[in-house]
Amino acid sequence: MAVAASLAAAGSPLLVAAIIDQPILVVIYGITLAISVWLFRDARRRQRSIPVAAGWAVGGFVLPGIVHFGYLYGRLKDTSSRPEESPEDDA
């Protein structure tokens, strides 16, 4: 009984074995986490609410292939729909 409790406290033995056997998973999840943090910060910079930005970040960590490209597609579409500013307008 004490062994099971200590294993539960230390984390899943399958997760530990996967990380030890395949250290590339640490790199892949590290990159995924970094991109998800970037998604959150970029969404906040574009005046999205905190729950929406957090949704993009969590979604980017759970389903990275779909959410990351979906966010970038929406971001590209958002920037292309804005009228371009000409340098003469500033003067």
Side-chain angles (χ1 to χ4, degrees):
M1 190 68 133
V3 174
S6 66
L7 283 178
S12 171
L14 292 176
L15 177 64
V16 173
I19 290 172
I20 291 172
D21 290 344
Q22 298 176 354
I24 191 71
L25 292 177
V26 174
V27 174
I28 291 171
Y29 282 115
I31 292 170
T32 301
L33 182 63
I35 293 172
S36 293
V37 168
W38 177 83
L39 282 178
F40 178 81
R41 294 179 68 189
D42 187 65
R44 288 297 297 151
R45 191 174 352 189
R46 293 175 172 272
Q47 279 76 41
R48 304 292 190 255
S49 66
I50 290 176
V52 170
W56 279 111
V58 170
F61 193 72
V62 174
L63 296 170
I66 297 168
V67 174
H68 291 167
F69 289 115
Y71 182 83
L72 290 176
Y73 178 75
R75 187 176 190 262
L76 176 67
K77 201 168 138 183
D78 189 34
T79 58
S80 66
S81 66
R82 294 182 187 165
E84 295 200 19
E85 297 177 14
S86 62
E88 298 90 37
D89 293 341
D90 292 337

